[in-house]
Amino acid sequence: MPNREDSIQLAIADLESGIFTSQRQAAAKYKIPRSTLASRLAGSSAARVGYQQ
């Protein structure tokens, strides 16, 4: 089973390729929060990446 970050990236790829037509469908398929997916699509980075010193 892919980790959460992998699932988010797969959901984004599926949305961009047209496999899913809605964020809700992609989020449900990969079992991730829709709000997280929407934030990533809007350009935010992963929390772990953003906090590195």
Side-chain angles (χ1 to χ4, degrees), residues 1-52:
M1 172 176 240
N3 67 28
R4 183 175 176 161
E5 185 61 31
D6 291 341
S7 295
I8 292 167
Q9 293 303 318
L10 289 169
I12 291 170
D14 285 355
L15 280 166
E16 290 175 347
S17 68
I19 292 173
F20 293 111
T21 57
S22 75
Q23 293 176 12
R24 183 169 294 171
Q25 289 174 333
K29 164 71 175 164
Y30 290 102
K31 297 180 177 133
I32 56 174
R34 190 200 55 78
S35 59
T36 300
L37 183 57
S39 295
R40 291 296 185 83
L41 288 167
S44 70
S45 61
R48 291 181 184 188
V49 173
Y51 187 70
Q52 290 179 354

